[in-house]
């Protein structure tokens, strides 16, 4: 499935520092190359145009109804092109296509997977994630990506709630997966090392055999909930295809682009922007093996000539501190999974003045991209930019009245990218999808120039390492510890992780409290990224007249260093 490449004789990082490397050209002539497949999608007529400088070919997509069929056509158009780089290996489009085709047959025959069945993916970042995902989608089944950092009770809830028929697990997570589905009726576990290897002459995935409509459910992506349990956002093939096309237009993505994928592949941001988007336009993925040490990460970007880097703000802080003699091949950087501090933006712009660093906004329920500062237009610091093509944003009050510019209200979104609703939760669906609008819970306003600004976080959500965490999830677990009378969790800025939870607790009278005992107990019940950095004991937590805990005062305590 892969082509092994010999290790480089010298560090790509050192070579780049020693010799001026020509970066990917940012100003190319534009042309449209069209090749119409009978199924309807239009792709480039050639896999590579060797011009100097390279021509940026804007591919015009008329998507087929499903993600898998569109990927199949990309593989037909670019069979011998590298779809993904992984260390010293490259995985071709035909490799993934053959593996997805064979895997789909295997899942249907061995596990009886049928359209609509939910199949979980408990898999760490690795190339096989791609072929397994498209195999599931090709069957018309529903992929359920699961955060591999979760603990057994958390995974068990997702498996039970989604009624998984099969959970595909990384071999080192097989025991975790088996423990999570134990007791569930008609639910099996497949270790990824049992995934079939296709023969070199095995057929590619046939787009005409993928009989899936755009309204069919494609993925069930769980997002943290304020009630303590995650909610399953039901996202269709049409939702993702619409968002991919909108992103392609605004980011001016072409087949020469190589997207650097370093955040978790289960994240909706990575699924759309770093997997579906490049693979449906004939581009490539540079899958980073590890963020540590940073030198190795930089070497991979340079060696494989990554051009687009979607990442969290902490990564751009790191890049802004690189020595002046180091040149990166990037043409565009996108800050997501949390706010972009102005200090980091200024530092990055000073270090890489020719590389736009743009901030955007999205949420899982919108597949997920909603707005972004356009790289070819004006970038407004502190703004999420205007809505992307084919998406509308409205600022509304609680009654649903549309508010005028520069008036603060709730961001509401509509478009073909909006979810069907929450899995098995009609009440929350009705409260979130109102009169055709997705009520995001985020507060902000629209500028007269059409750019939007977020002024408050949604429902006190935290984003350690760019992963959504609601304090209520942590608070409910802390509340179970003996001697805890009350608790509240807020976020504290962290240079490396972006944000870390901090717990404030009030104790029952006469209780002897051990912070280490509480933290050790939490380690057994919460994923590591949800663990509080520390626990602060107060005589009582501040409350307002109605008894609501005042988290603004708790944040002020942290800010004051008390």
């Amino acid at each position: 499935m892969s082509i092994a490449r010999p290790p480089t004789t010298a560090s790509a990082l050192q070579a780049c520092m020693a010799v001026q490397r020509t970066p990917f050209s940012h100003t190319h002539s534009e042309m449209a190359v069209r090749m119409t497949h009978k199924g309807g999608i239009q792709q480039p007529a050639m896999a590579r145009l060797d011009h100097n400088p390279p021509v940026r070919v804007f591919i015009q997509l008329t998507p087929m109804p499903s993600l898998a069929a569109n990927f199949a056509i990309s593989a037909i158009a670019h069979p011998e092109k590298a779809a993904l780089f992984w260390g010293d290996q490259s995985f071709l489009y035909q490799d993934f296509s053959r593996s997805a085709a064979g895997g789909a047959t295997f899942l249907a025959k061995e596990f009886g997977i049928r359209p609509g069945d939910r199949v979980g993916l408990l898999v760490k970042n690795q190339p096989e994630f791609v072929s397994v995902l498209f195999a599931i989608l090709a069957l018309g089944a529903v992929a359920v990506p699961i955060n591999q950092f979760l603990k057994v009770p958390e995974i068990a809830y997702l498996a039970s709630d989604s009624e998984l028929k099969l959970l595909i697990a990384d071999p080192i997570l097989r025991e975790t997966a088996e423990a999570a589905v134990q007791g569930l009726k008609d639910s099996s576990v497949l270790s990824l090392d049992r995934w079939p290897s296709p023969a070199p002459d095995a057929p590619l995935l046939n787009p005409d055999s993928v009989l899936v409509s755009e309204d069919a459910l494609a993925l069930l992506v769980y997002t943290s909930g304020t009630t303590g349990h995650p909610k399953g956002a039901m996202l269709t093939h049409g939702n993702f295809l619409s968002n991919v096309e909108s992103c392609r237009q605004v980011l001016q993505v072409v087949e020469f682009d190589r997207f650097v994928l370093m955040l978790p592949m289960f994240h909706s941001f990575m699924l759309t922007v770093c997997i579906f988007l490049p693979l449906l336009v004939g581009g490539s993925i540079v899958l980073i093996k590890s963020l540590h040490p940073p030198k190795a990460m930089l070497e991979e970007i340079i060696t494989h000539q990554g051009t687009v880097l979607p990442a969290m703000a902490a990564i751009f802080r790191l890049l802004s501190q690189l020595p002046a003699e180091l040149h990166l091949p990037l043409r565009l950087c996108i800050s997501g999974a949390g706010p972009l501090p102005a200090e980091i933006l200024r530092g990055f712009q000073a270090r890489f003045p020719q590389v736009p660093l743009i901030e955007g906004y999205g949420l899982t329920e919108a597949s997920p991209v909603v707005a972004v500062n356009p790289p070819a237009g004006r970038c407004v610091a502190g703004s999420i930019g205007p809505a992307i093509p084919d998406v509308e944003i409205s600022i509304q009050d609680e009654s649903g009245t549309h508010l005028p510019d520069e008036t603060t209200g709730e961001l509401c979104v509509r478009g073909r990218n909006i979810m069907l609703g929450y899995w098995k939760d009609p009440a929350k669906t009705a409260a979130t999808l109102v009169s055709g609008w997705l009520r995001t819970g985020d507060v902000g306003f629209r500028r007269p120039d059409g750019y939007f600004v977020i002024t408050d976080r949604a429902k006190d959500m935290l984003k350690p390492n760019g992963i959504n965490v609601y304090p209520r999830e942590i608070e409910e677990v802390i509340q179970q510890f003996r001697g805890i009378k009350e608790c509240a969790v807020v976020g504290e800025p962290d240079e490396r992780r972006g944000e870390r939870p901090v717990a404030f607790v009030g104790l029952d009278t006469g209780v002897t409290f051990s912070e280490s005992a509480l933290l050790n107990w939490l380690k057994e019940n919460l994923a590591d990224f949800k663990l509080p950095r520390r626990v602060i004991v107060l005589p009582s937590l501040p409350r307002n007249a109605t008894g609501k805990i005042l988290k603004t005062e708790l944040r002020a305590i942290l800010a004051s260093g008390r």
Side-chain angles (χ1 to χ4, degrees):
M1 181 172 172
S2 63
I3 298 177
R5 299 190 175 212
T8 53
T9 56
S11 163
L13 184 61
Q14 294 173 339
C16 189
M17 294 179 66
V19 181
Q20 172 85 22
R21 184 187 289 265
T22 303
F24 189 95
S25 175
H26 300 125
T27 55
H28 308 296
S29 59
E30 301 176 7
M31 61 179 290
V33 177
R34 302 163 67 95
M35 179 189 74
T36 305
H37 173 82
K38 70 176 183 177
I41 194 169
Q42 296 169 334
Q43 287 280 10
M46 55 205 77
R48 183 79 188 194
L49 300 180
D50 294 319
H51 294 280
N52 188 19
V55 176
R56 290 190 63 74
V57 183
F58 284 83
I59 304 159
Q60 300 182 4
L61 293 178
T62 306
M64 291 185 72
S66 74
L67 291 161
N70 282 309
F71 169 70
I73 292 176
S74 279
I76 292 170
H78 312 283
E80 297 185 357
K81 180 177 180 178
L84 184 146
F85 297 95
W86 171 251
D88 61 358
Q89 294 179 298
S90 62
F91 293 74
L92 308 181
Y93 270 90
Q94 64 186 8
D95 297 331
F96 283 138
S97 184
R98 289 191 174 106
S99 181
T105 301
F106 172 73
L107 293 177
K109 287 185 177 180
E110 297 296 322
F111 296 94
I113 302 301
R114 297 290 182 265
D117 288 340
R118 274 76 62 201
V119 179
L121 267 171
L122 186 63
V123 178
K124 293 186 175 184
N125 278 21
Q126 56 190 288
E128 288 75 14
F129 187 103
V130 174
S131 50
V132 173
L133 176 61
F134 280 113
I136 296 169
L137 297 175
L139 288 172
V142 181
V144 185
I146 297 176
N147 183 341
Q148 69 266 18
F149 302 112
L150 297 179
K151 300 295 173 66
V152 169
E154 297 167 309
I155 298 171
Y157 173 80
L158 301 185
S160 174
D161 185 69
S162 63
E163 302 173 24
L164 288 184
K165 186 166 185 177
L166 178 66
L167 179 54
I168 301 174
D170 202 300
I172 65 172
L173 296 171
R174 179 180 57 81
E175 292 184 2
T176 297
E178 290 174 344
V181 302
Q182 188 175 16
L184 294 182
K185 185 180 179 181
D186 300 325
S187 186
S188 305
V189 171
L190 169 64
S191 180
L192 194 56
D193 54 9
R194 288 188 55 208
W195 191 257
S197 297
D201 58 349
L204 301 182
L205 184 62
N206 182 355
D208 294 326
S209 68
V210 181
L211 305 177
V212 181
S213 75
E214 67 174 16
D215 296 326
L217 195 57
L219 280 89
L220 191 58
V221 183
Y222 278 85
T223 181
S224 297
T226 55
T227 59
H229 281 305
K231 306 183 296 292
M234 298 188 291
L235 301 171
T236 68
H237 288 263
N239 289 154
F240 281 109
L241 289 172
S242 176
N243 209 229
V244 164
E245 174 60 14
S246 298
C247 290
R248 182 194 70 83
Q249 291 181 31
V250 74
L251 301 179
Q252 300 182 344
V253 178
V254 296
E255 64 168 353
F256 295 113
D257 278 317
R258 294 181 176 184
F259 280 69
V260 180
L261 199 170
M262 59 175 60
L263 297 178
M265 296 172 85
F266 64 75
H267 198 292
S268 60
F269 184 40
M270 293 296 98
L271 286 166
T272 293
V273 177
C274 276
I275 298 178
F276 294 142
L277 176 56
L279 295 184
L280 296 192
V281 303
S284 304
I285 301 168
V286 178
L287 182 56
I288 302 299
K289 281 197 166 186
S290 175
L291 299 182
H292 305 289
K295 177 181 176 181
M297 171 192 71
L298 292 170
E299 286 182 345
E300 291 187 62
I301 294 174
I302 294 168
T303 299
H304 300 304
Q305 292 288 285
T307 64
V308 181
L309 173 58
M312 53 192 296
I315 295 297
F316 300 115
R317 180 191 296 275
L318 170 69
L319 296 182
S320 68
Q321 299 168 350
L322 292 176
E325 61 270 23
L326 179 60
H327 298 280
L328 297 178
L330 300 170
R331 74 164 181 90
L332 175 64
C333 292
I334 308 164
S335 181
L340 175 64
E343 172 196 358
I344 294 178
L345 177 59
R346 287 193 296 269
F348 186 88
Q349 288 176 331
R351 175 61 185 82
F352 298 100
Q354 302 303 316
V355 182
L357 171 55
I358 59 176
E359 183 175 5
Y361 167 79
L363 64 165
T364 300
E365 291 86 343
S367 305
V369 185
V370 169
V372 70
N373 279 269
R378 187 164 54 93
C379 182
V380 177
S383 164
I384 60 172
I388 61 175
D390 299 320
V391 172
E392 294 179 75
I393 301 176
S394 169
I395 303 297
Q396 301 180 17
D397 64 14
E398 292 182 358
S399 68
T401 300
H402 298 262
L403 301 176
D405 289 352
E406 300 186 308
T407 303
T408 298
E410 183 177 3
L411 268 79
C412 299
V413 183
R414 69 180 179 186
R416 289 184 59 237
N417 58 319
I418 302 303
M419 67 172 182
L420 292 178
Y422 292 119
W423 176 256
K424 297 194 304 187
D425 201 333
K428 287 178 183 172
T429 297
T432 304
L433 299 178
V434 181
S435 301
W437 292 91
L438 168 68
R439 301 192 70 95
T440 69
D442 286 310
V443 177
F445 61 90
R446 182 185 187 271
R447 292 162 40 112
D449 57 8
Y451 284 53
F452 291 85
V453 176
I454 302 289
T455 58
D456 204 356
R457 302 291 296 276
K459 310 176 185 74
D460 293 322
M461 183 172 66
L462 310 179
K463 287 203 172 185
N465 288 330
I467 301 173
N468 293 356
V469 174
Y470 281 89
R472 181 68 180 272
E473 295 183 71
I474 307 171
E475 291 162 358
E476 288 192 354
V477 178
I478 293 175
Q479 204 72 55
Q480 299 173 35
F481 192 76
R482 186 179 61 85
I484 299 296
K485 180 180 180 180
E486 55 183 357
C487 68
V489 173
V490 298
E492 185 175 51
D494 182 271
E495 217 173 82
R496 189 166 65 90
R497 299 191 181 187
E499 194 173 36
R500 289 284 296 274
V502 174
F504 288 84
V505 300
L507 305 177
D508 290 328
T509 304
V511 167
T512 300
F513 176 73
S514 168
E515 179 182 6
S516 61
L518 172 59
L519 292 175
N520 286 334
W521 184 76
L522 291 176
K523 287 180 181 178
E524 299 175 4
N525 293 277
L526 288 172
D528 292 344
F529 64 84
K530 297 179 185 177
L531 293 175
R533 165 187 278 176
R534 54 198 170 108
V535 179
I536 299 174
V537 179
L538 296 178
S540 62
L541 301 189
R543 297 177 182 270
N544 65 11
T546 63
K548 182 180 179 181
I549 294 175
L550 297 173
K551 291 192 174 182
T552 51
E553 292 193 16
L554 299 180
R555 295 188 186 99
I557 292 174
L558 292 179
S560 68
R562 285 185 283 165

